[in-house]
Amino acid sequence: MDQHNREQATVPTPMIDDIKTQSFGVFGVDNAIVDFLQEFGFQAIFNRRGWSKRTGKDLPTLIMLLILHPLLKVPSIHLFCRDHFLSVFAVGKDTFYRLLQRQFPWRNAHWALIKKLLPQWRTLDLGPGYLVADTTVKEKRGDRIEGVCWHHDHNTGRSVAGFEAAHLVWVNKQGTLPLDAALRFSKRPLISNLLHILSYRFDCRSHLGRRYREAAKMSKLDQTVDMVARAIQAGIPAQYFLADAWYSSVKFVKKILDLGVVPLIRWKRNNTKFLFQGERLTSVELYTRFAKGKIRKAKGSKRFKGTFLDAEHPEIGLIRLFFVRLIDPKTGSKEWAVFLTTDRSMGLSNMIEHYANRWGIEVFYKESKQHLGFLNESVRSFEAVIACLHLVSRAVSSVTCGGRNAMILYG
């Protein structure tokens, strides 16, 4: 066996046999992914925006291959072309990297696809529906990558060099669908003149010009408000917005309320004061003086105890604060947390059931990083980073749509 064959044999190929026998749809044979994209006008999304290639493989096929390669357990485009694809398609890695460099409105294309999907989703039992937001930090080495900054990673408690991305997902009874993503720069980019470089290269009216300003000028709270606004405008049926304590801002909650969504947010034990029984008190004071003595077991749960107090905030209005004590079943340790919502009809058990849906975005992050190559590709330009945010860091989520399984593209 020669060296190339030995290298090829070591590459995980769970689907390569199907590809070589032409049982996969990108090769002209029907399959769930291609049928799904044809049904919902994947090709038309590119045609309407005038995005096309004059020669070689068409763009929808190339993008489908970019989506496919992490599902084949291939860590990079280079290995994908060398060991999987070149024997079947006359396509080299340069074709894919040129594709990532193109200035294309990836976000708009994704929303166009979601809007086509919504009618089928609406025929299903979705429950109340939840918009869930969070941010994640992806460590990345390379001091010439446009977008890599120093960020505080709250999971490790240290500063790391890499990308910080905010995401919005839609969680319902049928599954989790990623809706939107935004890159955020910190004040410490590894390229010291990064903002000057990008402002010189992009017209402020272009799609990437707007994405650059979004990353450079907006906070993650403002980015999230914009993502929620796009979801509401697209007609995503969601009653609640869920987020952790990083989103515990009075101004942010007010903006979410103005969009017509009910917030349910874990609140920081900060100096925000609420009006209760004629006094202005912080959440810690409310817990110590009024809530601690009323703690009771949550119905149907062995881990949670809690209670709630109805209060008021001058900017938000009438609210309900839930004080929840979590008991670790292994160690027996106890920790209490406070949650804020404007739905004053919500009970303790209902609150726990609603907030549990926030776990959908944690699963999305875990699967994206472990299995879908979240921002792993070796690219340098801002154009390619944005493309990878929507393609390489997408979650290809298996959902039930119209009574059959379909693969939904995140990107």
Side-chain angles (χ1 to χ4, degrees), residues 157 242 270 298 315 327 350 355:
L242 309 178
N270 55 22
E315 295 182 54
I327 303 173
N350 296 133
Y355 196 75

Side-chain angles (χ1 to χ4, degrees), residues 14 54 59 68-69 81 90 105 107 120 125 136 161 191 226 254 261 281 285 330 332 362 391 401:
R54 287 177 292 182
L59 287 173
L68 177 64
H69 93 264
C81 294
R107 173 183 280 158
Q120 285 208 18
D125 179 16
T136 189
I191 300 176
D226 281 0
K254 191 174 183 302
V261 188
L281 304 169
E285 292 170 334
K330 294 182 179 180
E362 299 292 350
L391 285 170
C401 186

Side-chain angles (χ1 to χ4, degrees), residues 342-400:
T342 55
D343 182 358
R344 303 219 303 177
S345 66
M346 190 184 296
L348 176 62
S349 298
N350 296 133
M351 188 281 294
I352 293 171
E353 291 175 6
H354 287 313
Y355 196 75
N357 287 278
R358 204 195 74 82
W359 186 247
I361 200 167
E362 299 292 350
V363 174
F364 160 69
Y365 280 141
K366 181 178 180 181
E367 292 182 349
S368 294
K369 291 180 179 181
Q370 291 187 356
H371 307 298
L372 299 172
F374 180 80
L375 289 173
N376 276 347
E377 204 52 66
S378 298
V379 295
R380 288 188 178 184
S381 71
F382 182 73
E383 296 94 325
V385 170
I386 290 296
C388 289
L389 180 65
H390 288 286
L391 285 170
V392 181
S393 71
R394 83 263 168 252
V396 183
S397 306
S398 180
V399 299
T400 302

Side-chain angles (χ1 to χ4, degrees), residues 8-9 11-25 27 29 68 72 80 83-85 87-88:
Q8 190 174 35
V11 178
T13 56
M15 297 172 65
I16 194 65
D17 291 336
D18 286 341
I19 289 177
K20 289 183 176 179
T21 57
Q22 293 191 351
S23 63
F24 211 77
F27 298 88
V29 181
L68 177 64
L72 293 172
F80 188 40
D83 294 320
H84 289 258
F85 232 5
S87 61
V88 184

Side-chain angles (χ1 to χ4, degrees), residues 95-210:
T95 300
F96 292 103
Y97 284 117
R98 285 196 299 268
L99 174 63
L100 296 177
Q101 294 286 352
R102 299 184 68 163
Q103 296 191 28
F104 179 71
W106 297 101
R107 173 183 280 158
N108 293 347
H110 178 55
W111 276 112
L113 184 59
I114 289 175
K115 289 176 181 178
K116 287 181 174 291
L117 286 171
L118 274 179
Q120 285 208 18
W121 276 90
R122 289 181 179 277
T123 64
L124 308 174
D125 179 16
L126 301 175
Y130 307 88
L131 294 175
V132 187
D134 203 358
T135 61
T136 189
V137 174
K138 170 67 176 180
E139 290 191 54
K140 194 75 174 179
R141 295 181 179 179
D143 58 4
R144 304 311 302 168
I145 302 175
E146 295 177 343
V148 170
C149 304
W150 285 101
H151 297 283
H152 177 75
D153 186 354
H154 61 270
N155 290 323
T156 61
R158 60 188 180 91
S159 291
V160 298
F163 300 112
E164 182 178 37
H167 287 83
L168 184 73
V169 304
W170 176 35
V171 180
N172 55 61
K173 284 185 177 181
Q174 303 300 327
T176 299
L177 177 64
L179 298 177
D180 212 337
L183 195 70
R184 193 181 79 86
F185 298 161
S186 75
K187 295 181 179 180
R188 294 191 296 160
L190 269 64
I191 300 176
S192 59
N193 59 340
L194 174 63
L195 302 186
H196 175 74
I197 293 172
L198 297 181
S199 63
Y200 178 79
R201 192 158 84 232
F202 299 126
D203 187 306
C204 63
R205 296 168 295 181
S206 68
H207 172 73
L208 280 171
R210 293 193 297 271

Side-chain angles (χ1 to χ4, degrees), residues 276 286 290-292 294-296 305-311 319-324 338-339 341 343-351:
F276 181 77
L286 286 169
F290 299 100
K292 190 173 182 179
K294 297 171 60 179
I295 295 290
R296 66 180 187 278
K305 293 183 177 181
T307 189
F308 60 81
L309 298 175
D310 289 335
I319 59 168
R320 176 162 287 185
L321 294 171
F322 290 89
F323 300 87
V324 180
V338 59
F339 299 82
T341 184
D343 182 358
R344 303 219 303 177
S345 66
M346 190 184 296
L348 176 62
S349 298
N350 296 133
M351 188 281 294

